[in-house]
Amino acid sequence: MNRRTRITRHQAEQLLDAPTGADELSALLRDVAATPSSGEVPGEIEALAAFRASAPAPATGSDSLMSKFVRRAVTAPVATAGALGLALAGGGIAVAASNGAHIPLISGNHAHPTHPAHPTKPAHPTHPAHPAHPATPTATSGAEGTPKPSLVGLCHAWLAHQGTHGKWQSAPAFTALVTAAGGSDNVSSYCTIAVSKPTPSGHPTHPTKPTQAASPTHPAHPVHPTHPPKPSPTAHPTHPVKPTKPAHPTKSPHPVKPTKPSHPAKSGKAAASTD
Amino acid sequence: MDEDTLRALLDGDEDAFRTAYRDIHPRLLRYLTGMVGVDDAHDVAAEAWAHAVRDLRKFRGGVDGFRGWITTIARNRALDLLRSQSRRPLVDVDPADHTGTTPSAETLALEGIGTDEALELIRSLPPEQAEAVLLRSVMALDAKTAGLVLGRRPGAVRTAAYRGLNALQERLAERAGDISGPSDAEGTR
């Protein structure tokens, strides 16, 4: 234990990379370095439900084209509200916001990379980078009566939590669900119906899959290390809608600056000791 | 979490997301505990995940970048919260205010000091040093990625972390020095 010995810069880097020493400082750094959990982690159900609701669906090639369209529409966060018939006049944002939810997506430039398949017509064929108005006709078609697969997923998460304490009801992941049900008080009854009602795909707990996709990902064995997460082109050669690429295909490790990338962290205390 | 997992996650694979969540979330909670305190850390982390999941398509990069990306989101949320509460990151915590959270010399004499105590000790550092140490150790970001999160040069992050570690070393030594005698506490407990 070299108590009084100052750590060199090199040693500091080594300690931070791999605190393997027997000294107290190494032990402290090991203590704070959380190891990945093998079991369920708090918030996992909600996070997974949100992921399920907005992630690109793994391709299986079994569902109808329509399901794919619906899925795509639902996938876009704003379109989720649109699919519920709440955002058609832009009111969905107000409704969601008044529920106390933080909706950062509204403020940022939301370039959803793709709106590949629009069966009737592309909403904004010439403005692929303006997906703030993705309320296409397809977004609402079939919305009445049958909850979207993503909402059903959220319902399962909600129902799984029932009877437990905590603030999980106000979790951001549930915002769309609460909005859809018309308030948190209604969610339970809404969900009870939703989970018992077959979805268009017939599998309430499994989001509908795109009919086919270029990315040959197998859901169960995702072994495609070199595949960029490129949304797949659609099966419609007659719709050569170009924006199958993200609007801003930056390549840096931090291509996506969250709305406010560099805060002056300690406003009061300037970086006097920077170097 | 490896690059394959990240690719699968970005392709929509739920198992991959679960793996990533279980890897990153515990770290995020600890980092945020260091930023905003344990009471708000869970909420901020949940908001960060919700935000990240929504913006997943916008992400490009590797595992390090992904960790840095969600850390940046979480950090911005944490700073927003602190601003809204007119608090300042890290410095609002005076270890003396928290009974029992200041590591006792006896605890330190044992093997390790426990996660909470270790975090408290880091939080007692100057904010800049504390955050550099947290990002490097808790979030396991390299200096470059941590620099991107903080909006600073990697060299500045290294310097802050280096100073932070030396300060930690000193504090540990001071506390250990308080109990120079009873090393047998280890055996009798």
Side-chain angles (χ1 to χ4, degrees):
Chain A
M1 279 195 237
N2 41 357
R3 268 173 199 166
R4 296 292 167 193
T5 314
R6 274 189 74 76
I7 303 164
T8 66
R9 283 171 174 271
H10 181 64
Q11 287 171 330
E13 288 299 301
Q14 284 182 324
L15 271 169
L16 290 165
D17 286 335
T20 54
D23 57 297
E24 287 171 325
L25 184 56
S26 293
L28 182 148
L29 292 173
R30 279 197 297 272
D31 279 331
V32 297
T35 50
S37 170
S38 56
E40 187 180 321
V41 169
E44 185 174 315
I45 293 175
E46 295 90 338
L48 193 59
F51 175 76
R52 194 174 291 144
S54 62
T60 60
S62 62
D63 290 342
S64 75
L65 204 55
M66 188 60 196
S67 297
K68 178 180 180 178
F69 298 149
V70 172
R71 163 112 198 131
R72 288 287 182 189
V74 169
T75 298
V78 178
T80 303
L84 300 162
L86 291 171
L88 292 177
I93 290 170
V95 168
S98 68
N99 280 348
H102 301 275
I103 309 184
L105 58 95
I106 291 169
S107 54
N109 57 332
H110 249 253
H112 286 290
T114 55
H115 287 279
H118 290 283
T120 53
K121 57 170 182 168
H124 298 282
T126 57
H127 296 287
H130 288 282
H133 310 281
T136 65
T138 55
T140 50
S141 64
E144 317 302 327
T146 307
K148 290 292 165 288
S150 59
L151 289 174
V152 174
L154 286 168
C155 273
H156 281 288
W158 180 284
L159 295 173
H161 272 80
Q162 274 199 323
T164 63
H165 296 288
K167 294 181 287 186
W168 56 268
Q169 289 190 350
S170 56
F174 286 131
T175 302
L177 178 60
V178 171
T179 306
S184 56
D185 290 343
N186 303 330
V187 174
S188 292
S189 53
Y190 175 89
C191 282
T192 305
I193 297 169
V195 299
S196 65
K197 185 180 293 186
T199 65
S201 67
H203 293 280
T205 55
H206 298 289
T208 55
K209 310 297 194 300
T211 305
Q212 63 81 38
S215 71
T217 312
H218 192 288
H221 298 285
V223 282
H224 295 281
T226 58
H227 266 280
K230 187 181 296 181
S232 53
T234 76
H236 274 258
T238 53
H239 274 280
V241 186
K242 48 177 177 285
T244 51
K245 294 196 322 185
H248 302 287
T250 324
K251 266 299 180 185
S252 87
H254 273 259
V256 178
K257 302 290 186 191
T259 48
K260 288 164 251 172
S262 60
H263 285 270
K266 297 87 192 176
S267 47
K269 192 168 284 190
S273 59
T274 297
D275 252 334
Chain B
M1 178 173 180
D2 53 20
E3 300 292 342
D4 289 358
T5 305
L6 178 62
R7 290 299 138 218
L9 184 161
L10 294 174
D11 280 343
D13 185 90
E14 291 183 16
D15 286 341
F17 178 80
R18 200 180 276 116
T19 300
Y21 187 86
R22 289 176 178 183
D23 176 16
I24 295 175
H25 188 71
R27 302 176 194 272
L28 211 52
L29 275 184
R30 289 185 184 186
Y31 166 65
L32 289 170
T33 299
M35 288 288 286
V36 298
V38 67
D39 291 341
D40 290 320
H42 281 84
D43 287 347
V44 174
E47 289 177 14
W49 279 108
H51 186 149
V53 160
R54 278 193 296 259
D55 280 2
L56 212 50
R57 280 181 202 73
K58 291 160 72 176
F59 174 78
R60 298 289 182 279
V63 168
D64 285 346
F66 187 76
R67 245 190 220 132
W69 180 60
I70 191 161
T71 305
T72 306
I73 294 172
R75 183 172 187 268
N76 287 338
R77 299 237 144 208
L79 293 177
D80 284 345
L81 177 74
L82 294 170
R83 252 193 303 273
S84 73
Q85 297 173 347
S86 300
R87 288 160 64 194
R88 289 174 56 193
L90 301 159
V91 292
D92 65 313
V93 177
D94 180 357
D97 292 343
H98 294 244
T99 52
T101 54
T102 304
S104 71
E106 201 173 331
T107 313
L108 287 170
L110 302 172
E111 188 182 332
I113 61 176
T115 303
D116 292 345
E117 288 86 352
L119 279 176
E120 284 301 325
L121 209 55
I122 293 175
R123 289 177 64 160
S124 70
L125 295 173
E128 186 177 281
Q129 296 175 16
E131 200 172 4
V133 171
L134 284 173
L135 289 179
R136 291 282 283 109
S137 61
V138 177
M139 291 309 300
L141 303 181
D142 58 24
K144 184 180 164 215
T145 309
L148 288 169
V149 171
L150 296 170
R152 306 184 61 192
R153 294 196 318 280
V157 175
R158 287 195 194 95
T159 299
Y162 155 75
R163 290 183 176 148
L165 286 196
N166 271 300
L168 281 175
Q169 174 96 322
E170 268 177 34
R171 288 173 202 209
L172 286 169
E174 281 166 18
R175 289 161 196 274
D178 293 343
I179 53 144
S180 49
S183 57
D184 57 337
E186 211 166 320
T188 54
R189 295 281 277 188

